[in-house]
Amino acid sequence: MIVSSLETSSPETKPKGEDKKKKTGRKVPAILVYAVLVAGIFGIGILSLKFGSIQLSTGEILKVLLLGQDSLSELEVPHSILVWNLRLPRLVLSMLVGASLASAGVCIQGLFRNPLVEPGFIGVSPGAALAASTWIVFSEKILTFFPAELRGKESFLLQLCAFGGALSVSFFLHIVSKREGGGFSLVLVLAGIAVNATVVSLLGFLSYLADDTQLRNLTFWSLGSMAVASWHKIYLLGAVLLVVTFFFPVLARGLDALALGEAEAFHTGFKVRRIRNLTIVLASLLVGVSISICGNIAFVGLIVPHILRMVLGPGHRTLLPASLFGGALLLAIADLTARTIAFPSELPIGIIAAGIGGPFFLFLILQAKRREGEFR
Amino acid sequence: MKKIIILALFLCLPAAIFAEAKELRIVTLNGTVSEIVFALGKGKLVVGNDTSSLYPPEAVALPKVGYQRMLSAEGILSLKPNLILGLEYAGPPEVIEQLKSAGLKVIIYPGLPGVEPALNNILAIGKEIGAEKEAQKIVQDIRKKHSKIAEKVSKLKSKPKVLFVYHRGTSLAQVSGTETPADEMIRLGGGINAVDGFKGFKPITPEAVIAAQPDIILIPSRGLESLGGKEGVFALPGVKDTPAGKKSRVVAIDDLVLLGFGPRLGQGIEELFGSFHPKTPDKK
């Protein structure tokens, strides 16, 4: 069983920025990992605020952020605008989205007791994107009696629909792949592939019905971008993430119990069904709101928990918060890359995430295969 | 606090003094807008444009700020523009807002296909960049050509059915329904759109093509190139079995001339009429 093998695997790869001291034994102290991740987030944060249309010095950034002092840049654009309106929203949003997706990844992997699943991969994210797209296309055509601010792309109902889409797919997969004893379920992966295929075809059908403007909104979803960052969106996702983190202790205990197996969890006094439902709702909430804000970004929920599991071991008490930071770090790096690599144009962040994530996923599968001999 | 205000005022001083004499630095976010600015003789003021700016050749060489619907605020800022011109397709909307919040002058013109909206855009842009005379001249020229052809079209006894095919690279070929620039141009050139069952573009199906019975296949030049010439057009499903296929009538016209509704609109209408009606019917 892959899950059990993960518990005994020694850390072979180390996350970026991990110090060179090779730890003997199975785990790196959690506190050290947190420290490295937080330091990395601060480092990338400074770099993100530095680079762009014009390079700001660290001193200039600190002046704007901490002292509220402002001056004009060579571009005749005040530094405060560059930092507060253009760079900080992107940085914060990418961190929030990364944190949300990575945490949701941990939840879904724990729920299905399979470290190789990921919200995008089994159809949860596409489900959210489909629901959001359906809302975009139909809210303006059918719900004409709604006030204008409740229709279309700017309405909070969009987030609600995306959440609903993610939730439906998660529950569906959960029902389909439920097995006595749990563990690696081939049914889950197959069902995920089926869901994905269905979603792709439905999205195709939607794009056939959509008018030009709506069509652009739909294509935006398939690629993902942080260019749409605004403080309003940050508050929305930030609030959702904050609410979910309150449940982390409960989730961690529950997911750890689930890892033992359904029956064992039940005997240790856990209300298994309640934990499962809570996990599904919270993970869907994170995925739905993230995706409805900035489009479909895959693989974050897979890479981050994986690397951290190698370093920290499989305990959710440390894995969940560490993934939160790790996801934030990874997407902040991805967004910085997306907006600087082809300057003055920008690449969709989804392309970068998938470009790193695809090969990495293959590597994981091959590694699992080496350890297991074969998938059973 | 006082010091800061005084410092800020000092910083504004040079800007205030040179405000009158300051050269425009324009970024254009759309192929048609780029073409208009160049046609008005102000091409040297353009410091950057989007990937759809394919004419004139000088416009192609300028720094690219990306595809007009996936712009990046910082990328545009880095070119130090003081005027940004685009059509309503420019986006995402958040990026346009960010540019405005950075104190830049951003003007977005309507992008409706049609002779009058096109002429209004040319005049408005001319006024904005101080080339009103040139704009008037271009507009008069288009009006003259348009009314000449419109008169000829009104005397036509029969109009050919035209199927507009849009094709890019490996993507599926699509045909144009109603309410598209292509539909409007077919009408202006004295043809009838062979497809009127839907709005916008839809993927091509062999039965639909045969049912439409087009006399002419109309295709932008770039689309023709990506299909590998006329043979490629006839290889599309169903095209061979239409009157256009049997008489091998394919009309290819430069993308921006055909669909841009820009300064070469008059030329586009003339070219279309000429290819739709090779022998002008005798006036009786």
Side-chain angles (χ1 to χ4, degrees):
Chain A
M1 233 171 65
I2 289 181
V3 178
S4 58
S5 68
L6 269 173
E7 294 170 25
T8 53
S9 69
S10 57
E12 286 155 330
T13 45
K14 291 195 174 271
K16 270 184 202 153
E18 182 68 55
D19 61 343
K20 292 282 184 283
K21 274 190 293 178
K22 195 160 164 64
K23 292 269 161 195
T24 46
R26 217 185 53 198
K27 284 201 285 180
V28 178
I31 191 77
L32 182 68
V33 174
Y34 290 145
V36 169
L37 290 175
V38 173
I41 285 174
F42 268 100
I44 288 292
I46 292 288
L47 289 180
S48 294
L49 297 179
K50 250 182 162 14
F51 292 117
S53 51
I54 189 164
Q55 200 172 327
L56 297 177
S57 70
T58 313
E60 283 166 335
I61 294 168
L62 293 176
K63 262 184 201 157
V64 171
L65 282 180
L66 303 176
L67 306 174
Q69 284 180 14
D70 201 2
S71 48
L72 271 180
S73 67
E74 287 166 45
L75 299 177
E76 295 179 16
V77 176
H79 286 171
S80 63
I81 296 274
L82 285 176
V83 171
W84 284 106
N85 292 29
L86 299 180
R87 294 182 194 175
L88 200 58
R90 284 192 79 139
L91 172 67
V92 176
L93 185 68
S94 55
M95 284 182 178
L96 288 174
V97 169
S100 302
L101 292 176
S103 314
V106 173
C107 291
I108 290 202
Q109 287 163 10
L111 176 76
F112 291 114
R113 300 175 58 198
N114 177 351
L116 292 180
V117 295
E118 190 265 345
F121 174 61
I122 57 171
V124 178
S125 312
L130 175 65
S133 308
T134 309
W135 170 257
I136 291 266
V137 173
F138 287 111
S139 69
E140 286 164 353
K141 281 191 177 165
I142 293 174
L143 302 172
T144 39
F145 53 88
F146 270 42
E149 61 269 18
L150 286 181
R151 295 196 302 248
K153 200 164 74 106
E154 297 305 319
S155 163
F156 71 93
L157 291 170
L158 171 75
Q159 272 77 41
L160 207 64
C161 280
F163 167 48
L167 198 62
S168 322
V169 172
S170 309
F171 265 114
F172 169 75
L173 290 174
H174 183 220
I175 293 161
V176 169
S177 67
K178 217 167 168 174
R179 272 196 349 182
E180 285 309 309
F184 184 84
S185 161
L186 190 61
V187 175
L188 168 70
V189 178
L190 292 174
I193 291 171
V195 169
N196 261 330
T198 314
V199 165
V200 167
S201 85
L202 289 172
L203 277 175
F205 180 67
L206 267 185
S207 65
Y208 188 83
L209 296 175
D211 65 32
D212 195 50
T213 322
Q214 293 171 333
L215 193 63
R216 305 293 160 179
N217 283 330
L218 300 192
T219 33
F220 155 80
W221 255 302
S222 55
L223 294 171
S225 164
M226 292 293 163
V228 298
S230 69
W231 288 106
H232 163 76
K233 290 170 179 161
I234 287 169
Y235 298 144
L236 187 75
L237 183 57
V240 168
L241 192 61
L242 195 64
V243 169
V244 175
T245 48
F246 276 116
F247 287 94
F248 270 14
V250 185
L251 275 176
R253 277 206 311 276
L255 290 172
D256 279 343
L258 280 182
L260 299 169
E262 198 102 355
E264 288 84 348
F266 179 76
H267 290 307
T268 47
F270 276 98
K271 296 203 169 37
V272 174
R273 183 178 294 178
R274 193 179 290 178
I275 291 167
R276 284 185 173 284
N277 290 347
L278 181 71
T279 310
I280 289 176
V281 169
L282 294 180
S284 305
L285 190 63
L286 290 175
V287 170
V289 177
S290 304
I291 294 234
S292 66
I293 284 176
C294 66
N296 196 358
I297 299 169
F299 289 111
V300 182
L302 178 81
I303 306 173
V304 175
H306 244 278
I307 295 178
L308 291 170
R309 229 183 253 114
M310 289 173 180
V311 180
L312 289 166
H316 287 94
R317 219 163 42 85
T318 49
L319 187 60
L320 262 178
S323 294
L324 187 90
F325 293 125
L329 178 62
L330 181 72
L331 262 203
I333 293 172
D335 185 51
L336 182 62
T337 313
R339 65 190 185 81
T340 51
I341 201 166
F343 201 80
S345 308
E346 75 171 76
L347 285 178
I349 193 169
I351 290 177
I352 291 174
I356 303 168
F360 182 80
F361 185 56
L362 205 59
F363 161 77
L364 288 180
I365 292 175
L366 293 176
Q367 252 202 336
K369 190 179 161 203
R370 254 215 321 271
R371 275 200 306 264
E372 296 289 307
E374 58 177 304
F375 285 108
R376 270 187 295 273
Chain B
M1 192 66 212
K2 253 189 194 163
K3 270 185 191 164
I4 294 171
I5 293 171
I6 290 167
L7 184 72
L9 284 175
F10 259 107
L11 283 168
C12 295
L13 260 181
I17 292 169
F18 295 117
E20 289 305 305
K22 205 160 66 176
E23 272 246 300
L24 278 178
R25 294 178 60 85
I26 307 172
V27 167
T28 50
L29 306 179
N30 171 277
T32 300
V33 175
S34 302
E35 201 185 321
I36 291 172
V37 174
F38 273 89
L40 295 172
K42 298 283 184 179
K44 58 184 186 305
L45 301 180
V46 182
V47 292
N49 55 28
D50 78 312
T51 49
S52 70
S53 302
L54 300 165
Y55 186 89
E58 299 92 308
V60 181
L62 287 168
K64 297 290 173 202
V65 295
Y67 173 54
Q68 63 176 327
R69 299 180 196 268
M70 286 172 53
L71 299 166
S72 130
E74 293 255 10
I76 293 169
L77 276 183
S78 70
L79 302 169
K80 301 184 190 173
N82 47 24
L83 179 63
I84 297 169
L85 304 174
L87 295 187
E88 61 191 28
Y89 317 116
E94 291 87 351
V95 169
I96 303 299
E97 282 310 307
Q98 287 163 3
L99 289 169
K100 286 179 179 167
S101 81
L104 285 168
K105 191 170 182 183
V106 186
I107 307 176
I108 302 294
Y109 298 97
L112 303 164
V115 176
E116 283 312 311
L119 299 185
N120 289 340
N121 282 352
I122 294 171
L123 290 174
I125 291 171
K127 199 169 170 178
E128 193 57 48
I129 62 175
E132 282 173 84
K133 273 206 188 94
E134 291 85 345
Q136 289 288 0
K137 223 166 82 186
I138 291 173
V139 166
Q140 273 160 14
D141 173 65
I142 294 175
R143 276 197 205 283
K144 210 166 74 194
K145 286 176 174 160
H146 172 221
S147 55
K148 196 175 81 193
I149 298 293
E151 194 191 342
K152 284 184 181 175
V153 168
S154 67
K155 289 180 182 155
L156 287 174
K157 290 195 181 67
S158 69
K159 294 180 182 178
K161 286 168 89 178
V162 183
L163 180 74
F164 177 85
V165 177
Y166 185 84
H167 187 275
R168 274 289 151 79
T170 53
S171 71
L172 198 63
Q174 297 190 304
V175 295
S176 164
T178 55
E179 294 184 28
T180 69
D183 177 65
E184 183 66 24
M185 285 302 281
I186 290 172
R187 195 170 317 122
L188 290 169
I192 297 168
N193 189 350
V195 181
D196 55 6
F198 56 82
K199 294 176 197 172
F201 288 89
K202 293 270 187 276
I204 199 165
T205 67
E207 281 86 358
V209 171
I210 294 167
Q213 287 292 306
D215 304 305
I216 297 172
I217 305 290
L218 175 63
I219 188 164
S221 306
R222 273 167 196 274
L224 189 74
E225 276 166 37
S226 71
L227 280 169
K230 277 192 178 186
E231 298 74 33
V233 178
F234 297 128
L236 288 172
V239 173
K240 244 200 167 79
D241 303 310
T242 62
K246 285 167 190 155
K247 291 181 221 153
S248 100
R249 283 190 75 184
V250 175
V251 174
I253 292 177
D254 176 89
D255 299 42
L256 272 168
V257 173
L258 181 59
L259 306 173
F261 280 85
R264 291 179 293 168
L265 174 60
Q267 178 195 334
I269 299 174
E270 280 183 340
E271 271 187 46
L272 270 182
F273 185 85
S275 48
F276 287 172
H277 308 279
K279 293 189 289 265
T280 334
D282 299 328
K283 290 171 197 169
K284 283 176 186 171

